[in-house]
Amino acid sequence: MRICSYLSIRAIMITDYHANWSGCHTGAFHGRQESQVRKKFRCVVRFVAAIPWRVEDFCSPRGTYRVRFTVEDPTARIHAFAYAEDGEKFFDGYLSADVLSSKLNKLLGVAISVDGKEIKDAARNPPWVQCCLISHYLKCCKICDTKLVGQQV
């Protein structure tokens, strides 16, 4: 299984990364062989789902981000968590539900009409984005050192 293979696809960048990426590995993600070893990977992936699905529920009652994303590349799908400080960094702080919803829709490739409403039953087209993941266990990673900043061409 490879999740962070290098892709020669022109990515639509909607994330920003921090200087900590210098320690990231690029290339294959081998979660099965090294399930007890934590490694940091710089990846090009698509975000295809988020749980919870309502942005109002992204934070716990104590105000801690806790979101599970499903991310994919052409070789596999895994779950990646945006949790606590890494979630705060990823979403660029604690935002209003409207702003957070807009960012999430762009990240998941939700079709939006001119007046800003979601187009029902439209096909999704999530953009390819770079992010940094720390592997923890088989098919489980944490998003780190990555910030969602908005869509750029």
Side-chain angles (χ1 to χ4, degrees):
M1 172 181 64
R2 294 180 357 190
I3 185 67
C4 294
S5 56
Y6 181 78
L7 303 175
S8 60
I9 297 172
R10 182 174 174 246
I12 299 173
M13 301 306 299
I14 63 170
T15 56
D16 187 19
Y17 57 89
H18 299 270
N20 298 7
W21 275 36
S22 60
C24 286
H25 301 281
T26 55
F29 174 78
H30 299 287
R32 281 191 300 210
Q33 293 91 343
E34 303 176 50
S35 61
Q36 302 301 316
V37 178
R38 289 176 43 148
K39 284 196 173 179
K40 199 180 220 185
F41 294 91
R42 181 177 172 185
C43 307
V44 177
V45 296
R46 297 186 328 162
F47 286 71
V48 296
I51 294 178
W53 61 273
R54 290 176 10 113
V55 296
E56 294 85 359
D57 299 329
F58 276 13
C59 288
S60 72
R62 301 178 95 192
T64 303
Y65 273 109
R66 53 180 186 169
V67 183
R68 185 185 85 180
F69 291 104
T70 302
V71 298
E72 70 177 7
D73 76 356
T75 62
R77 269 188 183 182
I78 64 167
H79 296 302
F81 293 86
Y83 184 76
E85 298 86 18
D86 291 315
E88 186 177 347
K89 186 182 297 182
F90 183 72
F91 291 113
D92 197 19
Y94 293 94
L95 308 171
S96 70
D98 290 337
V99 173
L100 201 53
S101 182
S102 174
K103 285 188 171 198
L104 182 65
N105 284 340
K106 287 178 183 177
L107 186 65
L108 297 176
V110 174
I112 303 294
S113 66
V114 177
D115 60 354
K117 305 233 188 247
E118 181 179 340
I119 300 172
K120 298 292 182 194
D121 300 322
R124 291 187 177 188
N125 187 18
W128 291 97
V129 300
Q130 285 187 351
C131 69
C132 195
L133 301 176
I134 293 178
S135 68
H136 285 282
Y137 302 103
L138 180 63
K139 291 192 173 190
C140 180
C141 293
K142 184 173 82 167
I143 298 168
C144 64
D145 299 323
T146 305
K147 182 169 93 173
L148 188 60
V149 293
Q151 193 155 2
Q152 303 171 359
V153 178

